[in-house]
């Protein structure tokens, strides 16, 4: 099903660029216990192959942050740069999010499960208290973009998380990534995570899962985040500070590298790419039935990104992701529940189109009532009409046969390109007494029954249309309105 | 105007056409079987016509849908039961269902209570009663089947109305 496509589709574009890594990252972000589905796991397995070096790097990074949580003072300069970066990111994110509310939700949810999502973090520069230095503590080679990641996290996760939590998030995110990536193989990596990190990782995982539930707009996310995805990617590649994986990430993420100083830039880019990847990966992972607004918005994001990031060709939307909206729980159960609810609402809308007069009805209960009433009325109409047919039938036995025969005859005539001929016997049947034409038709019918199957459809369509026209024209003008009025007005019993 | 017969098409036009054919065919067979001109047997005819209507509807749709399968199954069981018992009145499906091994519909859990163990509202229960064959389906599938059932029912009603119009004018 979609799962299969999910597993298969990521392959091509995974191989194409670092989106795979992003997905991996996002996948890894999902905590093992919180992964609602194993789509991620499978995808991770696929993606893992490509990201083995990244995995090792991540694992190393994961292990390193453990030590860095002790609270190393942040160099002032880095803080400043980071603040600026975050501010810029926040502005970019805000602009992107303003255009699309789902963006905020996407960005928010991945990084913060609590509903209190706000852009406060992005709106104001991160105070110096932000333990950005912790990010720097991480080994630069494998995962140098801790500050960048933090900024990305801040940017996308409009959550009420304190800035001080970012590095935790970053680290936890990495940890979660690693763990999720290997389908919980790296659970041991998460073990050494301090409790705080675990909490953040959980949040991250929740958010990741949420984002994974969103529609797959991996690139879209990055596009919105940064218009410089291309440049970032290129820059990252040009600045391979032992970040082979980072560059891959950077290509995917659209974080604005230009604005950051080089070392910061790399780190922030890496962070951004990571966060972007996370978001993208999160979006990619889960199957989703359909998220209308979210899907549309995601598609918009995707379009933006595709426009901006030539390097990031739009990934095939083979699998649908459900994106958790802002302020919604990120629990896997609630996510699945949301998917189910959205499926049901989609079908309710389809039913709304079927049931006449339900366009203004809103609400599932009222709609269900209308549907029930409509089905009951339809069944009553069938009963009524069958009663009518039962009373009429004795007189029209021959007519029915004649009609059938006429159909066959009409079909034969049609097949013989005598389009006008069928009309005449038909009209003759309707207007005149049926005996003579019936007998003649029956004679014909016996010969034509063999061809009954061929033009039956055509004949029936033909005679039915003609029948309706004839009937309405000549005879049923008084009955037609009544019958037509029956439907939907409940006046079925008028005739009876 | 008349597309080639598409067995799996749900295009209302083709559906209507197929329904018409099938229903006429069934009616014809029905009339050929017995000529119940007696008023006392009008009810019989009515039941048969109604059965023919549902049967034609289910046959046209085939086994693609749960409701059509349920109807076909009911008809098959009904025929078996009528053959064995020669019951003229419309047999209750539940009765025959229990006597015959049920294959699809689940009558072991009749919706007696207002709220299912799953927390379904009374409306869903009502809907399940109305649409055949959806008793064991989840809400999503229930709505799907309901939509298809409504579509086919509406088409059948239209066909029957046209037929009545035609027959009443002849």
């Amino acid at each position: 099903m979609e799962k299969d496509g999910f597993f298969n589709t990521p392959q091509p574009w995974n191989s194409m660029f670092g989106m795979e890594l992003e997905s991996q990252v996002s996948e890894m972000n999902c905590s093992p216990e919180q992964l609602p589905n194993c789509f991620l796991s499978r995808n991770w397995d696929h993606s893992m192959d490509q990201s083995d070096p990244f995995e090792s790097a991540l694992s190393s990074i994961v292990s390193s942050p453990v030590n860095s949580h002790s609270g190393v003072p942040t160099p002032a300069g880095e803080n400043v740069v980071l603040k600026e970066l975050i501010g810029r990111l926040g502005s970019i994110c805000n602009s992107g999010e303003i255009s699309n509310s789902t963006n905020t939700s996407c960005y928010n949810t991945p990084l913060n499960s609590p509903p209190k999502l706000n852009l406060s973090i992005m709106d104001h520069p991160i105070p110096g208290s932000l333990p950005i230095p912790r990010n720097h503590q991480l080994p630069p080679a494998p995962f140098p973009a801790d500050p960048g990641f933090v900024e990305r996290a801040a940017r996308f996760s409009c959550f009420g998380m304190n800035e001080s939590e970012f590095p935790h998030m970053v680290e936890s995110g990495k940890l979660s990534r690693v763990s999720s990536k290997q389908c919980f193989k790296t659970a041991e990596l998460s073990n050494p995570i301090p409790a705080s990190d675990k909490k953040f990782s959980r949040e991250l995982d929740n958010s990741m899962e949420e984002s994974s539930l969103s529609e797959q707009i991996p690139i879209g996310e990055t596009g919105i985040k940064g218009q410089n995805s291309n440049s970032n990617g290129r820059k990252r590649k040009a600045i391979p500070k032992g970040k082979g994986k980072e560059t891959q990430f950077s290509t995917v993420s659209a974080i604005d590298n230009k604005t950051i100083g080089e070392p910061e830039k790399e780190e922030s880019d890496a962070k951004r790419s990571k966060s972007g990847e996370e978001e993208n990966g999160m979006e990619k992972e889960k199957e989703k039935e359909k998220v209308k607004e979210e899907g549309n918005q995601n598609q918009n994001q995707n379009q933006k990104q595709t426009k901006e990031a030539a390097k990031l060709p739009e990934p095939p939307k083979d699998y649908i992701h459900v994106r958790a909206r802002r302020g919604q729980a990120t629990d896997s159960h609630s996510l699945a529940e949301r998917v189910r609810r959205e499926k049901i609402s989609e079908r309710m809308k389809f039913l709304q189109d079927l049931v006449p007069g339900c366009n203004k009805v809103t609400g599932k209960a009222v709609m269900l009532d209308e549907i029930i009433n409509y089905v009951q009325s339809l069944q009553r109409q069938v009963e009524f009409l069958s009663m009518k047919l039962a009373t009429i039938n004795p007189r029209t036995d021959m007519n029915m046969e004649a009609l059938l025969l006429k159909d066959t005859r009409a079909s034969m005539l049609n097949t013989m390109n005598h389009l006008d001929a069928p009309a005449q016997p038909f009209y003759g049947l309707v207007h005149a007494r049926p005996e003579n034409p019936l007998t003649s038709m029956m004679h014909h019918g016996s010969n034509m029954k063999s061809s009954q199957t061929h033009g039956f459809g055509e004949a029936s369509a033909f005679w039915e249309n003609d029948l309706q026209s004839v009937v309405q024209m000549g005879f049923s003008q008084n009955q037609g309105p009544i019958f037509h009025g029956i439907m939907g007005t409940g006046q079925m019993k008028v005739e009876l | 105007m008349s597309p080639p017969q598409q067995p799996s098409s749900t295009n209302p036009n083709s559906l209507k056409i197929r329904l018409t054919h099938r229903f006429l065919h069934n009616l014809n067979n029905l009339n050929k079987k017995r000529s119940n001109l007696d008023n006392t047997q009008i009810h019989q005819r009515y039941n048969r016509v109604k059965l023919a209507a549902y049967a034609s509807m289910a046959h046209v749709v085939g086994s693609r849908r749960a409701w059509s399968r349920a109807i076909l199954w009911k008809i098959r069981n009904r025929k078996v039961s009528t053959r064995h018992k020669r019951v003229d009145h419309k047999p209750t499906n539940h009765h025959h269902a229990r006597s015959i091994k049920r294959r699809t519909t689940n009558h072991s859990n009749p919706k007696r209570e207002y709220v299912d163990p799953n927390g379904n509202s009374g409306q869903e229960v009502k809907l399940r009663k109305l649409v055949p064959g959806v008793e064991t389906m989840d809400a999503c599938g229930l709505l799907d089947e309901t939509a298809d059932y409504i579509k086919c029912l509406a088409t059948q009603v239209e066909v029957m109305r046209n037929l009545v119009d035609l027959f009443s004018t002849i």
Side-chain angles (χ1 to χ4, degrees), chain A residues 214-226:
Chain A
S214 63
E215 273 195 358
Q216 175 192 0
I217 303 178
I219 299 180
E221 291 300 330
T222 57
I224 292 175
K225 296 174 194 176

Side-chain angles (χ1 to χ4, degrees), chain A residues 107-180:
Chain A
Y107 302 139
N108 296 336
T109 54
L111 297 180
N112 197 8
S113 45
K116 185 176 75 173
L117 305 172
N118 52 61
L119 300 173
S120 61
I121 293 169
M122 287 179 278
D123 292 337
H124 61 272
I126 296 176
S129 60
L130 177 61
I132 294 173
R134 293 186 203 171
N135 301 327
H136 291 286
Q137 300 297 325
L138 300 174
F143 220 72
D146 281 351
F149 179 82
V150 169
E151 291 172 352
R152 252 187 306 158
R155 185 163 138 206
F156 299 117
S157 59
C158 328
F159 0 19
M161 284 180 83
N162 300 329
E163 295 88 354
S164 57
E165 295 174 0
F166 290 156
H168 293 286
M169 266 178 23
V170 175
E171 295 158 351
S172 60
K174 295 173 197 166
L175 288 169
S176 59
R177 267 186 244 137
V178 178
S179 58
S180 62

